[in-house]
Amino acid sequence: MRFVHDTLPQRVRFASGAAAEELAAEVATLGAQRVMVIAGTAEAEPAARVTAGLPVVHRHDDVAMHVPVEVARRARAAAVEREADALVSVGGGSTTGLAKAVALTTGLPIVAVPTTYAGSEATAVWGLTENAVKTTGSDPKVLPRAIVYDAALTLGLPVTLSVASGLNALAHCVDSLWAPRTDPLNQALAVEGARALRTGLPLVAAEPDALEGREKALYGAYLSAAAFASAGSGLHHKICHVLGGMFNLPHAQTHAVVLPHVLAFNAPGVPDAERRLAASLDAPTATEGLARLYDELKAPRSLRELGMPADGIIEAAQAVLAAAPAGNPRPVTLDAITGLVRLAWEGAEPR
């Protein structure tokens, strides 16, 4: 056995119902006196509640999916104008992504308070979209210094969005099994994350107002993101970044739709990892386990229903081919990706 594994420097605070207290402790640790809070309008109330005791100089609610460059410019200007010395993000992946865009150019530290299962808070990956092209990169400056996980903050997330967000987290687990920098440590995180999500998401769907399922899903989402942060972006994420940027599709739902098709495509090339994933999903095969979970959760199935045009399939496949990572378990060809995207667009059974 021989590998190199990077563990990212980050504190994790997990305390249901105690976000305000834990967040205040982190801001005090930073010594911050001029905090910029980033939270979309939908998160305005919980953001105001958990940041009430902080030295806030600006509350920024101009948040958009896939972090358009013009949105990032406005947020960066606001941080400079208010002389902010720290950023607090309260929300999902778009909110965390905008905080990262500000940190990328200003170097300001981030404390992230997630309200979904997106996982962006645990990675050093940033993304910006311009002219229908999403560009991503990795930089230590954008990794939040700390994460405050409070499952109570996810109680307001509707079941449909909880399912999509949780399956996005599961996609981090699956992709980490064969991503460019995969190793035994992040694979262990991925397998345990998948197990937690397989347990937690059905509980969220069955009892959305209970904390047990929300906590398990949030725990699984962190493990999935920690695995992904180390392993890097595999084929699944390259496909979803292309589709999201090109057609402005909803992030979590796009990942949920694409995941079964990428798993069906790659699983034959990684039999050992497939067996471990199958065990985590409590099924004879990983594809069968994922199919059962999708049926149980009534998960989204079709890119067409998300707003992707049929005439975009070929263009998207060509862009994916250009972005596909080296070392994928199976050869990535234009025909293969075109077929995969077409099946996902139709909402057909993966094959």
Side-chain angles (χ1 to χ4, degrees):
M1 184 181 294
R2 184 174 182 176
F3 61 89
V4 175
H5 177 87
D6 287 323
T7 299
L8 301 183
Q10 186 178 64
R11 181 181 291 108
V12 176
R13 292 176 177 263
F14 202 109
S16 296
E21 174 187 342
E22 300 294 327
L23 178 58
E26 281 304 323
V27 171
T29 298
L30 290 174
Q33 297 297 318
R34 300 183 61 81
V35 175
M36 174 171 165
V37 176
I38 300 177
T41 54
E43 288 76 39
E45 188 280 325
R49 180 160 32 89
V50 303
T51 62
L54 303 182
V56 177
V57 295
H58 178 56
R59 295 184 182 275
H60 194 86
D61 64 3
D62 182 10
V63 178
M65 284 194 311
H66 307 299
V67 194
V69 291
E70 61 273 16
V71 173
R73 289 192 192 105
R74 290 193 290 270
R76 289 164 173 169
V80 172
E81 181 182 344
R82 270 71 171 197
E83 298 182 338
D85 60 4
L87 305 169
V88 169
S89 63
V90 183
S94 298
T95 304
T96 308
L98 182 57
K100 288 180 171 183
V102 176
L104 186 64
T105 58
T106 65
L108 291 175
I110 303 170
V111 180
V113 186
T115 60
T116 71
Y117 311 116
S120 175
E121 67 277 357
T123 78
V125 177
W126 56 266
L128 292 167
T129 302
E130 185 174 24
N131 298 324
V133 176
K134 186 169 185 176
T135 302
T136 62
S138 182
D139 193 303
K141 290 198 297 289
V142 310
L143 177 72
R145 300 285 183 88
I147 311 168
V148 176
Y149 285 117
D150 181 348
L153 295 179
T154 70
L155 292 173
L157 191 66
V159 169
T160 54
L161 291 180
S162 296
V163 165
S165 183
L167 293 175
N168 177 21
L170 185 57
H172 290 133
C173 296
V174 175
D175 226 18
S176 296
L177 295 175
W178 53 61
R181 300 190 304 275
T182 190
D183 65 47
L185 298 185
N186 54 51
Q187 288 177 359
L189 292 172
V191 169
E192 174 61 15
R195 190 185 311 278
L197 289 161
R198 174 66 184 89
T199 303
L201 290 177
L203 290 175
V204 171
E207 298 182 72
D209 295 329
L211 277 180
E212 182 184 3
R214 300 281 184 177
E215 287 184 333
K216 289 183 184 300
L218 206 53
Y219 163 68
Y222 170 72
L223 292 177
S224 74
F228 175 69
S230 171
S233 292
L235 179 62
H236 170 88
H237 280 79
K238 296 301 184 182
I239 292 173
C240 292
H241 287 164
V242 166
L243 295 175
M246 190 173 287
F247 307 112
N248 197 34
L249 303 182
H251 181 84
Q253 291 88 334
T254 301
H255 280 268
V257 169
V258 171
L259 176 59
H261 299 278
V262 178
L263 177 61
F265 178 71
N266 270 344
V270 281
D272 291 341
E274 190 277 336
R275 282 192 290 271
R276 296 177 68 190
L277 182 60
S280 291
L281 298 176
D282 194 24
T285 68
T287 51
E288 183 178 339
L290 192 63
R292 290 178 185 174
L293 181 61
Y294 271 54
D295 288 342
E296 190 173 354
L297 297 176
K298 299 180 174 59
R301 305 278 187 160
S302 166
L303 293 174
R304 172 170 49 190
E305 294 176 357
L306 300 182
M308 178 180 167
D311 60 7
I313 293 174
I314 298 297
E315 182 185 6
Q318 291 170 335
V320 170
L321 191 64
N328 192 66
R330 296 185 64 196
V332 179
T333 66
L334 182 59
D335 285 347
I337 297 302
T338 301
L340 188 156
V341 174
R342 189 178 302 281
L343 288 173
W345 181 83
E346 294 172 349
E349 289 295 316
R351 62 177 183 267

